[in-house]
Amino acid sequence: MIFSVDPRLKPIRDKVESGERLSLDDGLLMYDPDIPVNDLGQLANLVRERKNGNATYYNINSHLNATNVCVYRCVFCAFRSDLRSDKSYAMDDAKIIARGQEATDNGCTELHVVGGLHHQRKYAWYRDMIALLHENFPKLHLKAWTAVEINWFEFLEKRPTAEILQELKEAGMGSMPGGGAEIFHPEVRDQICEHKADGNNWIHIHRTAHQLGIKTNCTMLYGHVEKPFHRIDHLIRLRDLQDETGGFQTFIPLAFHPENTGLDHIKKPTATEDLRTIAISRLMLDNIDHVKAYWIMLGIGTAQAALAYGADDLDGTVRQELIYHDAGATTPEFLSVERLEDLIREAGRDPVERDTIYRKVIRDENEFTNWEVGEEIAVAH
Ligand code: V47
């Protein structure tokens, strides 16, 4: 399908149409503010529809942030707390079980488990939390611990990555979320979170997870101190690892929310910037099946529009989310399945409920909380 684009985009359009990989320079050109975002949207939509047709995926999920106490002080984070602050908390087993029960009662297929790196909690607390949830709620998929947490566990335990990941997998960790990636390039990482796992550590941990058969997601935090070059460099590092392992399921671009953070003088990205980044991500990451428009951080309107700019997934119903809401997100606390499906249909797409590892979910028509997983979702490459 040939459609007209800005003359400078023609070589990129030709590459996209023939399935040829885009270069660093192509990525930089697409970030030129004079390149119309709608042209990028059309190109990204071509890739989106080639891979996923008209489907838009979502899941029914909840978050569990068992503690906000964190040894690190990432300048962009509004969620963390000092140990002795009034805001600090750490859940006990009863509370953790209650959250698993609440998720199950709400028909969730996934619990997204992440949190702070608590000064006084040992690795066993984090591992046993997974075992406790898995033993009590074996059907609930535990998408747990970012690479930053895994790196912290390695530091506490003085044990290699593979050993820690294997142990967590045996405890019931089903997959890993994509958080903690921020921006890999040290020029940026040193300004926003110099103390935590660096870009190479993050990549090493995800590579090891993939080698152990653990699927993971990947993210990029944009709209703070980084430049277009750092974003494209970040995307290419993810693409390179995906060439090697094929273990990433979905990419989630995360727009920076400045409120209550050390960077509160920075303005939140506009909807146009969000859509440009979603489209460029879809076009650069030719080997990752899904691009998620995380409605919690984009806002419902932009997330819905993103379904025409390369995104094919909206994340989920999302209960108990704190990281974005602490940073000023004004999106609702959760969306019902009916509302999510209506948003997707209104955008001209077909809603498909998936589980965390992209299998179709089949629900009992009379008993919503009774569900089974069906076949794996096929994606064209
Ligand atoms: O790593 C923290 C980001 C991430 C702020 O894998 C912020 O399915 C914006 O990774 N403004 C955690 N962003 C969230 C995350 C995620 C979310 C949804 C789905 C998945 C998945 C993963 O949130 C952090 C950091 O990059 N973050 N603070 C902030 N003020």
Side-chain angles (χ1 to χ4, degrees), residues 264-279:
D264 58 2
H265 56 284
I266 292 177
K267 281 208 181 78
K268 195 167 131 205
T270 61
T272 306
E273 288 174 281
D274 291 333
L275 294 174
R276 184 182 295 275
T277 294
I278 285 169

Side-chain angles (χ1 to χ4, degrees), residues 294-311:
Y294 187 38
W295 64 265
I296 288 268
M297 80 51 185
L298 286 173
I300 293 167
T302 307
Q304 200 181 24
L307 300 181
Y309 282 75

